[in-house]
Amino acid sequence: MKRNKMQLKGQLRMYMRWPLIMTLLLIGMDVWMYMVDKKAGLLMSVIIIIYVGIAFSLYFYNRSLILADLIQFSIQYKGIENRLLKELAIPYAIALEDGRILWKNDCFLNLTEGQRKERYLNRMIPELHPGVFPKNDVDHVELEVTYRERSYQAELRKVSLEGFSEKEELLQIPEEQEYFVAVSLRDVTELNAYIRENEDQRMIAGLIYIDNYDEVMESVEEVRQSLLVALIDRKINKYIGDVDGIVKKLEKDKYFIVLRKDAYKKLKEDKFSLLEEVKQVNIGNSRSATLSIGLGLNTATYALSYQYARVAIDLALARGGDQAVIKDCNGITYFGGKKEQTAKNTRVKARVKAEALREFIVTRDKVIVMGHKIADPDSFGACMGIYRAAVSLEKKAHIVINEVTGSVRPLYDEILESPAYEDDIFITSEQALDYVDDNAMVIVVDTNKPQMTECPELLKKSKMIAVLDHHRQSSNIIENAVLSYVEPYSSSTCEMIAEVLQYMVDDIKFPALEAECMYAGIMIDTRNFMNRTGVRTFEAAAFLRRCGADITRVRKMFRDDMASYQAKAEAVRNAEVYRKEYAIAVCPSDIDSPTVLAAQAANELLDISGIKASFVLTEYENKIYMSARSIDEVNVQIIAEKLGGGGHINSAGAQFDHTNMHEAVSALKETIDKMIEEGDI
């Protein structure tokens, strides 16, 4: 009875029924033959009966034999399948959810020779621990692992065993873990080697500029100028030639270079020593030549690589030169830039920028000026300078300021009380968003980072933006500006504005109060003209003095009260000298404008003998702010950049988005340690 219940199905069942189908066709043909000729039809009927008898006899007789052969074939096929899997040329294994190996094929056994008795996968290959196994809705996971100095692409695939425990008597698996993990390994060592070799052979474009070509040529005798240029050319050609690169001189101070990516790795290892080698070229020139290098990496086309190089060289120049900037698809990397760029004596650039800014302002009905958050005297004074320029050009002007700090409160209050100014000269971010329209121009001063401005949303709504700043640019800049005037060698933004104003409006009438605002900005940023001052700094100060700035009154405005002075003294008293050269202190935050006092305390710490750089941290509005200062031995700007900030070589800052002072100090120390080990400072 059991054998009678066994049925064929699928294509084989259809194939076995072909005799029945043929019988029906033959019967139909026999009927037609009866209609044509009865004798022929009778003969055909006899033949059909014989055919049917033979067909059905064979079908019922061979059916059991066919079923037996099918069962035998299934058994043999299963054995062949298992043997093929066992002898598969790819290492293959089956593991449980906890990483315990149940079965390995021969290739996997050969691969793990010496560890054949090891029962857990992660003990052989640590990367393949249960934590990376596919879980929940993930069917498979792929990752690259290393085993015995070779690389393998591992695929971990979940094999469902739903209902396994109900059928299996020897092994009980919990329902939530009813699956095996099939592990296969593919050797990709050679493939990775070819990929790396192909990547290293990619050509990248670069640009090299001599930052101060004119100044260097003027500092040497005319008969030696050609020799100086030849020595610089030789340094550049030899440096690039040593890594099998090509150099093409485009202009007297510009070079185009092409090199392979593996050559860039060599340049990266020696941190672009060409920057220092060129500085050492001296044949009597009083000023050393400095270079800016821009490279474009990891691009799909050579044209895009060149565009990246152009962006990199522009950024290097905007940051003051004397550095290498590498731009790729993942971001921007900086090398060098440890020394302060010497200011240029020429004011041509200031005049050109002033004329361009004037043309933009006259095409708009109103001007909205804003500086950075937590405004300091330099930011506030620069805003007042642009305000005066806009008013002189008969344009409506507003200054965006959300929070008035103690350092600018005296000047701010005096302007509000003066009848010479309109009531809406100062507006908040919310008001600014209502004021801005297609006929408004936004001018940003003393910062070039959009997130640092008083109202970042204003930059998105405005169609015309100008930026004037003296801080070094980073990769995060205001990108849609129609005019960008960034001079890292300038002492302050107020110095830049003072120069620009002299070219924007003829015989500009500058009120004494506004002159004092700008003079205060220069004085604070230069520490009473002791830090980062040049010829143009004193010329700008002289211009403001002629406009009526009262030095004595400015000095009185910026005197500390007793509580602030005691807080600053407390920070200096408890300062820690880290690595015998770096002063780290914490400024009390229970006073007005703690960030300003932190900057002042950092300046005070520099007066201690042996201190190369000072860092003062303080808590303000649920964040920790850091002020970093140095004289000339350490570039605190690159330290601040590592912590997410920026600034100048000897004056920088950063902020931490938390209030854990211990973590902030630890992060600062770790950054200093790492940069010392890598030779960056």
Side-chain angles (χ1 to χ4, degrees):
M1 293 296 292
K2 290 183 179 180
R3 187 170 19 174
N4 293 336
K5 291 181 179 180
M6 190 176 295
Q7 299 288 334
L8 295 174
K9 61 181 182 179
Q11 295 295 326
L12 183 61
R13 181 180 181 182
M14 180 62 68
Y15 179 78
M16 295 296 292
R17 288 184 175 181
W18 266 109
L20 177 60
I21 297 173
M22 290 298 297
T23 300
L24 296 175
L25 291 175
L26 290 174
I27 292 173
M29 184 180 293
D30 189 29
V31 173
W32 177 76
M33 292 186 69
Y34 264 111
M35 295 174 62
V36 176
D37 189 340
K38 292 183 178 181
K39 290 184 179 181
L42 182 60
L43 179 61
M44 185 67 178
S45 298
V46 174
I47 295 174
I48 291 175
I49 293 172
I50 296 173
Y51 169 78
V52 171
I54 296 173
F56 275 85
S57 299
L58 291 174
Y59 176 79
F60 287 108
Y61 175 76
N62 291 331
R63 186 170 180 273
S64 59
L65 297 178
I66 291 173
L67 290 174
D69 289 344
L70 288 175
I71 294 172
Q72 184 64 31
F73 174 78
S74 176
I75 295 172
Q76 293 177 357
Y77 179 79
K78 190 67 176 178
I80 293 172
E81 187 180 44
N82 292 338
R83 184 171 181 179
L84 289 174
L85 185 60
K86 187 171 180 61
E87 297 180 358
L88 187 67
I90 298 175
Y92 193 88
I94 296 176
L96 291 177
E97 184 265 348
D98 60 356
R100 185 169 41 182
I101 299 175
L102 298 178
W103 179 85
K104 312 173 190 175
N105 71 349
D106 293 342
C107 192
F108 199 99
L109 287 170
N110 294 334
L111 177 66
T112 58
E113 187 176 0
Q115 292 181 296
R116 294 190 176 189
K117 295 182 179 180
E118 185 57 63
R119 299 179 60 189
Y120 286 89
L121 186 62
N122 62 312
R123 293 179 181 175
M124 293 186 292
I125 306 175
E127 292 95 331
L128 298 181
H129 54 84
V132 302
F133 285 5
K135 293 179 176 63
N136 301 328
D137 296 333
V138 180
D139 292 331
H140 76 285
V141 174
E142 292 186 5
L143 68 158
E144 189 167 314
V145 300
T146 302
Y147 181 68
R148 293 183 177 178
E149 300 182 354
R150 295 191 69 82
S151 300
Y152 294 90
Q153 185 71 23
E155 181 180 2
L156 309 175
R157 187 172 296 275
K158 184 190 293 186
V159 180
S160 177
L161 296 173
E162 188 176 353
F164 177 86
S165 299
E166 298 177 1
K167 302 174 184 178
E168 178 59 46
E169 299 179 357
L170 299 178
L171 187 62
Q172 178 68 32
I173 300 178
E175 290 186 7
E176 65 276 7
Q177 298 179 4
E178 278 196 340
Y179 65 88
F180 289 151
V181 177
V183 182
S184 60
L185 302 176
R186 181 165 56 91
D187 194 335
V188 293
T189 307
E190 285 77 13
L191 178 61
N192 288 347
Y194 292 140
I195 292 174
R196 285 193 299 269
E197 184 178 353
N198 179 65
E199 188 70 18
D200 290 342
Q201 294 297 323
R202 292 180 64 87
M203 304 300 291
I204 60 177
L207 293 166
I208 299 178
Y209 287 4
I210 302 176
D211 301 322
N212 52 349
Y213 180 86
D214 294 332
E215 289 79 3
V216 173
M217 291 300 108
E218 291 175 0
S219 69
V220 69
E221 298 177 6
E222 186 174 352
V223 294
R224 293 189 175 187
Q225 290 180 357
S226 57
L227 177 59
L228 180 60
V229 173
L231 290 174
I232 295 175
D233 287 348
R234 185 174 180 274
K235 287 282 187 183
I236 295 174
N237 280 277
K238 184 178 185 303
Y239 186 77
I240 302 300
D242 287 344
V243 292
D244 200 22
I246 300 173
V247 181
K248 175 67 177 179
K249 191 169 186 177
L250 303 177
E251 299 178 25
K252 61 181 181 180
D253 58 346
K254 295 178 176 63
Y255 304 82
F256 175 72
I257 62 173
V258 178
L259 56 150
R260 296 193 305 269
K261 190 174 180 181
D262 61 341
Y264 159 71
K265 295 178 181 178
K266 297 178 182 178
L267 304 184
K268 183 179 178 181
E269 288 177 0
D270 72 355
K271 299 185 182 297
F272 290 86
S273 59
L274 176 65
L275 298 172
E276 298 299 325
E277 291 178 8
V278 170
K279 291 180 186 177
Q280 297 173 5
V281 177
N282 192 316
I283 56 171
N285 47 300
S286 58
R287 302 183 68 170
S288 299
T290 61
L291 300 181
S292 289
I293 303 174
L295 295 178
L297 270 70
N298 293 347
T299 54
T301 64
Y302 295 138
L304 192 56
S305 176
Y306 178 69
Q307 292 179 17
Y308 276 17
R310 290 291 301 271
V311 172
I313 197 69
D314 290 343
L315 184 55
L317 295 172
R319 288 167 57 86
D322 187 27
Q323 57 194 283
V325 177
I326 292 83
K327 176 174 173 56
D328 58 20
C329 302
N330 300 319
I332 296 176
T333 308
Y334 305 100
F335 294 90
K338 299 180 181 180
K339 299 296 183 181
E340 182 67 66
Q341 179 73 8
T342 305
K344 297 182 179 179
N345 293 327
T346 176
R347 289 190 180 185
V348 175
K349 187 174 182 180
R351 177 178 58 79
V352 171
K353 296 293 184 180
E355 293 175 353
L357 183 60
R358 182 182 185 278
E359 292 178 2
F360 287 128
I361 292 177
V362 297
T363 61
R364 290 294 186 267
D365 295 336
K366 53 188 171 183
V367 175
I368 300 176
V369 192
M370 65 175 174
H372 55 73
K373 297 176 182 177
I374 314 177
D376 58 10
D378 186 33
S379 176
F380 185 79
C383 288
M384 293 304 303
I386 296 296
Y387 168 84
R388 177 49 51 192
V391 172
S392 300
L393 294 172
E394 301 179 352
K395 301 296 178 181
K396 181 75 173 177
H398 307 278
I399 298 174
V400 182
I401 182 167
N402 295 314
E403 181 181 355
V404 183
T405 60
S407 61
V408 301
R409 173 65 67 180
L411 296 169
Y412 178 86
D413 291 341
E414 191 167 345
I415 291 173
L416 281 183
E417 296 170 0
S418 174
Y421 299 97
E422 299 179 355
D423 294 337
D424 61 349
I425 179 175
F426 298 116
I427 60 177
T428 62
S429 295
E430 292 76 11
Q431 293 173 321
L433 293 174
D434 295 332
Y435 276 57
V436 69
D437 54 30
D438 292 343
N439 290 319
M441 180 178 184
V442 175
I443 301 178
V444 180
V445 297
D446 203 31
T447 183
N448 55 64
K449 294 183 177 181
Q451 72 274 15
M452 293 295 294
T453 59
E454 286 279 15
C455 183
E457 296 81 8
L458 196 62
L459 302 176
K460 301 176 182 178
K461 296 187 66 175
S462 177
K463 294 183 178 180
M464 183 173 285
I465 302 172
V467 179
L468 294 92
D469 186 26
H470 71 125
H471 296 99
R472 281 186 167 190
Q473 285 188 356
S474 63
S475 55
N476 186 16
I477 61 173
I478 300 173
E479 297 179 348
N480 55 336
V482 296
L483 183 144
S484 181
Y485 183 23
V486 180
E487 291 292 1
Y489 56 75
S490 183
S491 69
S492 60
T493 309
C494 286
E495 175 191 323
M496 297 169 57
I497 302 298
E499 291 182 349
V500 168
L501 287 173
Q502 298 176 58
Y503 296 107
M504 283 186 67
V505 183
D506 295 333
D507 300 325
I508 185 171
K509 296 180 180 179
F510 215 88
L513 179 56
E514 295 174 17
E516 289 170 357
C517 290
M518 297 184 65
Y519 190 92
I522 297 176
M523 186 183 74
I524 295 299
D525 270 27
T526 59
R527 293 184 63 200
N528 294 322
F529 298 93
M530 293 172 56
N531 188 26
R532 304 187 68 252
T533 54
V535 174
R536 292 168 66 175
T537 307
F538 291 103
E539 290 177 350
F543 166 72
L544 296 174
R545 285 283 288 121
R546 289 195 298 269
C547 291
D550 188 339
I551 301 175
T552 303
R553 205 165 78 91
V554 171
R555 182 179 177 185
K556 287 183 178 180
M557 284 183 184
F558 290 95
R559 289 186 297 178
D560 295 326
D561 56 28
M562 183 56 70
S564 298
Y565 193 87
Q566 288 176 341
K568 183 168 59 176
E570 183 70 12
V572 174
R573 187 178 72 87
N574 294 321
E576 172 191 358
V577 180
Y578 185 64
R579 283 181 170 261
K580 300 181 180 180
E581 297 175 340
Y582 304 94
I584 300 176
V586 176
C587 182
S589 58
D590 54 348
I591 51 174
D592 292 335
S593 304
T595 56
V596 176
L597 284 180
Q600 294 175 354
N603 288 327
E604 294 288 339
L605 288 168
L606 287 180
D607 294 332
I608 300 174
S609 177
I611 299 299
K612 292 184 177 181
S614 60
F615 305 88
V616 180
L617 297 88
T618 187
E619 183 181 339
Y620 183 65
E621 293 186 346
N622 298 322
K623 292 183 180 179
I624 294 177
Y625 291 82
M626 181 192 76
S627 292
R629 298 292 185 270
S630 67
I631 298 179
D632 62 348
E633 295 178 286
V634 175
N635 184 349
V636 293
Q637 184 250 345
I638 59 177
I639 297 176
E641 278 188 341
K642 295 287 186 181
L643 296 169
H648 283 294
I649 285 178
N650 48 23
S651 177
Q655 68 181 43
F656 302 86
D657 295 328
H658 56 74
T659 56
N660 191 321
M661 188 63 69
H662 177 72
E663 289 183 5
V665 173
S666 298
L668 172 61
K669 291 180 178 179
E670 290 175 4
T671 302
I672 293 174
D673 292 339
K674 184 177 179 181
M675 296 185 72
I676 290 175
E677 292 173 2
E678 295 177 353
D680 292 333
I681 57 175

